[in-house]
Amino acid sequence: MTDEEINAYRWALQNQGSVVETCTFVSTSEDRDIAMSFANQNNTHKQRVLTIFNFPVKCETAITLLNSVGQYECISEYSYEKEVLVLPFTLFKVTSLKRNCTSDVYE
């Protein structure tokens, strides 16, 4: 994530009631360790960020690619990643933004 994108999250956090919108597809995982492994991949031009989405009710723009019901095949090529795809234009509130000193990852 760029510094400008992180600043937008900071702004949303400081301005209660504000929302942030995804502009692209966001690939996430239900497994925090797997998500952290992607956040830890070296990218010299961007900040490393672990975004945790909390959907208290079913989100129509977050598609689980892992078949948890057993009726259909897994859509993801890597089923062990427990991937969830968040579609562009999904709105969400930022409730926390901190930098983990140990991992140097924003959470």
Side-chain angles (χ1 to χ4, degrees):
M1 198 175 263
T2 66
D3 289 335
E4 184 177 320
E5 291 168 321
I6 290 174
N7 286 335
Y9 279 50
R10 282 190 184 112
W11 182 90
L13 184 60
Q14 294 170 353
N15 292 275
Q16 293 245 326
S18 298
V19 293
V20 174
E21 179 180 49
T22 59
C23 296
T24 62
F25 288 96
V26 178
S27 181
T28 65
S29 174
E30 293 178 0
D31 185 314
R32 183 186 175 95
D33 291 334
I34 290 172
M36 185 60 89
S37 72
F38 285 111
N40 280 324
Q41 289 180 354
N42 193 9
N43 187 333
T44 56
H45 302 293
K46 295 185 177 185
Q47 300 289 338
R48 297 178 305 160
V49 176
L50 173 65
T51 303
I52 300 170
F53 292 96
N54 178 17
F55 300 112
V57 294
K58 182 177 168 120
C59 177
E60 297 297 327
T61 58
I63 303 168
T64 302
L65 301 183
L66 175 66
N67 176 18
S68 56
V69 218
Q71 292 177 314
Y72 309 101
E73 288 185 37
C74 178
I75 298 172
S76 176
E77 186 173 342
Y78 307 101
S79 59
Y80 67 92
E81 290 181 352
K82 299 179 183 175
E83 186 175 5
V84 176
L85 188 62
V86 181
L87 301 179
F89 313 114
T90 299
L91 301 175
F92 61 95
K93 292 181 182 178
V94 178
T95 59
S96 174
L97 179 65
K98 60 185 177 185
R99 188 175 206 140
N100 183 319
C101 296
T102 307
S103 64
D104 197 34
V105 171
Y106 280 97
E107 296 182 19

